[in-house]
Amino acid sequence: MLPFARVSILGLGLIGSSVARAVRQAMPTVRLTGYDADPDVRATALRIDLTDDVADSAGAAVTDADLVVLCVPVGAIGTVAGEIAADLPAEAVVTDVGSCKTDVARALALALPGIAVVPAHPVAGTERSGPEAGFATLFAGRWCILTPAADADPVAVERVASFWRRLGADVETMTPEHHDRVLAVTSHLPHLIAYSIVGTASDLEAVTESEVIKYSAGGFRDFTRIAASDPTMWRDVFLSNREAVLEMLGRFSEDLAQLQRAIRWGDGDALFDLFTRTRAIRRSIVEQGQDDAREDFGRAHGPDA
Amino acid sequence: MLPFARVSILGLGLIGSSVARAVRQAMPTVRLTGYDADPDVRATALRIDLTDDVADSAGAAVTDADLVVLCVPVGAIGTVAGEIAADLPAEAVVTDVGSCKTDVARALALALPGIAVVPAHPVAGTERSGPEAGFATLFAGRWCILTPAADADPVAVERVASFWRRLGADVETMTPEHHDRVLAVTSHLPHLIAYSIVGTASDLEAVTESEVIKYSAGGFRDFTRIAASDPTMWRDVFLSNREAVLEMLGRFSEDLAQLQRAIRWGDGDALFDLFTRTRAIRRSIVEQGQDDAREDFGRAHGPDA
């Protein structure tokens, strides 16, 4: 028995379009409706047959839904929830895919009183954006974190969990506050640092931008992938998860200052100790299937690269 | 006509063993001799038939060479050069693959007076280490930077350039000082930051290490690859290129503080502007063939990942 029969996806970017493709593959009998605020994205969705229907407004997209998946930047979730409130069937379940959960859970509860809301965050993505960037296996083997309110309907929570498991994800549940601290360190801080160093590198006088690009294979190119992520999405993440990001950033800056001091004073042992410790974490990530076991992420090497 | 006929490789880790494999493939008639200070590495090199000979000492490895490639951590280059000085044929050319060049060029000139020295840095690598981690196509399409002294013999420089081109690399020449500033930003600073954030993430109280590993697909895992690089090599890099690394780190810290302030004060426009600017650099890196054009570095997605 499928957890939902009529799924509406609002926001058809990388994640929304991946949800659509994954639903098509895993639950082909589900009736899929899509909507995006951008008319060009709606036209693309129609052209590539992403969903069974593409609605002309957020409200029209949800009138018949038993699950609504909000796949818009976290800063827009409250607004979109407000737009659908009047058209939403009373028994529909609403979920989202936002990278921050405290703010989002609050905004959804406020905009949709009486509706079963189960906020979710599939920890998956690539640096690409838009309806054509998605693919059906994006969530396979990745974690999806649910952050239901303490008094949420357990049946609705289990249906949303079942939905994500069918898309290939493993499901975990935690409070929105804990989610926001975990993701601040595993996702938001890495993005902030990547954006920052790419900015620094493009602003030097002694080294030209063309040199930075030319010699990027020494490590820099890894950061540019992350720093190519969607600007609107990430602006909203930092504004929404401000407290946790600032806390993690403060710790990181302290640790970096300590490394800076070790370099200045030639303390090779301190450097060696840290560099040895960090290796083990990589090993665990690969062992737990959270990254490609092949060297260099499986990047192509050689003349055919 | 081959630039060299008898090549000795000292240090048989990732880079040294990749040079050996690339020479075998590109110049099969070259007589290859290998040496490593670690007896286990020498035994592995013999077992996997990495070079035609494996010598028992650094001196014995070079007695017959017309090119010596030093593939040891930059902190050991001066010592190894001293060990081979007495046995080195007068007409041999010496090069290296170190990631820092000012210190290395000075150490080589001091240890090998009268010898043609052409310091080199192939900007290529993976997070793996050791003689079995290397592969023949590591340098294909990557840049190799030569930093010969102003009064270096142009014939020796051209022979070393030709050697690297035959291994698939594109060759560029610059001063050691400029090299060290360019690589400080494109390689050394990214490694320092990656090591630092992985250290920060493993030292939290509110978030456990197992959570960090579990949810690493949100961005963190990209940093752990770099932070799994060889600890000895990287300790030496930071001690050797101290000035340039500290300068770039200072600029990065300033820029990060500005981002921190933008987050604290909710300045979404400043965040959005930076996040838009950094996208273009990624595009250029991919266009210039310095990274995999496939999304997510070509990482495997889905159940077979």
Side-chain angles (χ1 to χ4, degrees):
Chain A
M1 180 76 193
L2 294 179
F4 299 100
R6 296 174 310 282
V7 175
S8 290
I9 303 171
L10 277 65
L12 300 173
L14 168 69
I15 303 296
S17 73
S18 293
V19 171
R21 288 175 170 95
V23 168
R24 275 265 172 89
Q25 199 162 91
M27 296 172 272
T29 59
V30 163
R31 177 91 195 158
L32 266 180
T33 301
Y35 172 73
D36 196 285
D38 182 340
D40 289 344
V41 172
R42 294 202 298 272
T44 302
L46 271 172
R47 182 171 52 75
I48 64 176
D49 186 34
L50 190 64
T51 52
D52 301 312
D53 293 304
V54 176
D56 281 335
S57 72
V62 305
T63 46
D64 194 36
D66 58 2
L67 177 70
V68 175
V69 190
L70 302 176
C71 303
V72 299
V74 291
I77 286 182
T79 310
V80 176
E83 282 169 27
I84 61 171
D87 295 297
L88 201 62
E91 71 284 2
V93 175
V94 173
T95 186
D96 75 303
V97 300
S99 304
C100 316
K101 299 265 69 95
T102 311
D103 260 20
V104 164
R106 198 181 299 128
L108 286 175
L110 209 74
L112 302 170
I115 294 287
V117 170
V118 185
H121 177 204
V123 185
T126 76
E127 69 276 25
R128 306 246 169 118
S129 313
E132 294 177 289
F135 49 98
T137 56
L138 180 62
F139 310 110
R142 298 279 83 82
W143 287 95
C144 182
I145 302 173
L146 307 187
T147 64
D151 61 351
D153 171 18
V155 175
V157 174
E158 181 43 40
R159 284 171 77 197
V160 172
S162 166
F163 176 80
W164 279 105
R165 280 193 289 262
R166 280 169 185 270
L167 303 194
D170 294 314
V171 173
E172 194 61 88
T173 298
M174 59 180 75
T175 66
E177 293 75 20
H178 188 63
H179 168 280
D180 284 359
R181 294 185 125 193
V182 172
L183 272 290
V185 67
T186 63
S187 179
H188 308 169
L189 182 58
H191 276 79
L192 189 70
I193 288 169
Y195 279 124
S196 189
I197 189 176
V198 176
T200 302
S202 63
D203 275 342
L204 300 171
E205 313 86 46
V207 178
T208 66
E209 193 169 305
S210 85
E211 286 176 314
V212 167
I213 291 162
K214 204 164 163 179
Y215 305 115
S216 61
F220 182 72
R221 61 180 181 170
D222 282 28
F223 290 68
T224 64
R225 189 191 75 81
I226 290 186
S229 301
D230 186 64
T232 305
M233 171 192 159
W234 283 99
R235 176 200 61 199
D236 284 7
V237 165
F238 295 117
L239 298 179
S240 172
N241 198 20
R242 174 164 64 178
E243 293 309 320
V245 168
L246 289 176
E247 186 201 325
M248 296 304 170
L249 183 53
R251 286 166 181 263
F252 169 75
S253 297
E254 278 174 30
D255 293 347
L256 191 61
Q258 200 179 17
L259 271 184
Q260 183 172 7
R261 196 171 187 283
I263 293 172
R264 194 178 297 285
W265 292 92
D267 185 353
D269 290 345
L271 300 175
F272 187 83
D273 287 349
L274 172 67
F275 300 172
T276 306
R277 200 152 61 82
T278 51
R279 270 194 143 170
I281 296 197
R282 174 74 189 165
R283 209 158 32 230
S284 303
I285 287 173
V286 170
E287 278 166 11
Q288 293 188 24
Q290 291 307 310
D291 206 347
D292 204 307
R294 293 172 299 164
E295 69 201 336
D296 214 6
F297 304 120
R299 267 187 184 119
H301 283 277
D304 300 315
Chain B
M1 188 88 176
L2 295 179
F4 299 100
R6 296 175 309 282
V7 175
S8 290
I9 302 171
L10 277 65
L12 300 174
L14 168 69
I15 303 296
S17 73
S18 293
V19 171
R21 289 175 169 95
V23 168
R24 274 265 172 89
Q25 200 163 90
M27 297 172 273
T29 59
V30 163
R31 176 92 195 159
L32 266 181
T33 302
Y35 172 73
D36 196 286
D38 182 339
D40 289 345
V41 172
R42 293 203 298 271
T44 302
L46 270 172
R47 182 171 53 75
I48 64 176
D49 187 32
L50 190 63
T51 51
D52 301 312
D53 293 304
V54 176
D56 282 334
S57 72
V62 305
T63 47
D64 195 36
D66 58 2
L67 177 69
V68 175
V69 190
L70 301 176
C71 302
V72 299
V74 291
I77 285 182
T79 310
V80 176
E83 282 169 28
I84 61 171
D87 296 297
L88 201 61
E91 72 283 3
V93 175
V94 174
T95 186
D96 75 303
V97 299
S99 304
C100 317
K101 299 265 68 96
T102 310
D103 261 20
V104 165
R106 198 181 298 128
L108 286 175
L110 208 74
L112 302 170
I115 294 287
V117 170
V118 184
H121 178 204
V123 185
T126 77
E127 69 276 25
R128 305 248 169 116
S129 313
E132 294 177 289
F135 49 97
T137 55
L138 180 60
F139 311 110
R142 299 280 81 82
W143 288 94
C144 182
I145 302 173
L146 307 187
T147 63
D151 61 352
D153 170 18
V155 175
V157 174
E158 181 43 40
R159 285 171 77 198
V160 172
S162 166
F163 176 81
W164 279 105
R165 279 192 289 261
R166 280 169 186 269
L167 303 193
D170 293 316
V171 173
E172 195 61 87
T173 298
M174 58 181 74
T175 66
E177 293 74 21
H178 188 64
H179 168 280
D180 284 359
R181 295 186 124 191
V182 172
L183 271 290
V185 66
T186 63
S187 179
H188 308 169
L189 182 58
H191 275 80
L192 189 71
I193 288 168
Y195 279 123
S196 189
I197 189 176
V198 176
T200 302
S202 62
D203 275 342
L204 300 171
E205 314 85 47
V207 179
T208 66
E209 193 169 304
S210 84
E211 286 176 314
V212 167
I213 291 163
K214 205 163 162 178
Y215 305 115
S216 61
F220 182 72
R221 62 179 181 170
D222 282 28
F223 290 68
T224 64
R225 189 191 75 80
I226 289 187
S229 301
D230 186 64
T232 305
M233 172 193 159
W234 282 98
R235 176 200 60 199
D236 284 6
V237 165
F238 295 117
L239 298 180
S240 172
N241 199 20
R242 175 164 64 179
E243 294 310 319
V245 168
L246 289 176
E247 186 201 326
M248 296 305 170
L249 182 52
R251 284 166 182 263
F252 170 75
S253 297
E254 277 174 32
D255 292 347
L256 191 60
Q258 200 180 17
L259 270 184
Q260 182 171 8
R261 196 170 188 283
I263 293 172
R264 195 178 297 285
W265 291 92
D267 184 354
D269 290 345
L271 299 175
F272 187 84
D273 287 348
L274 172 67
F275 300 172
T276 306
R277 199 154 59 83
T278 51
R279 271 195 142 170
I281 295 197
R282 174 76 189 164
R283 211 159 30 231
S284 302
I285 287 173
V286 169
E287 278 166 11
Q288 294 188 23
Q290 292 306 310
D291 207 346
D292 205 307
R294 294 173 297 165
E295 69 201 335
D296 214 6
F297 304 121
R299 267 187 184 119
H301 282 278
D304 299 316

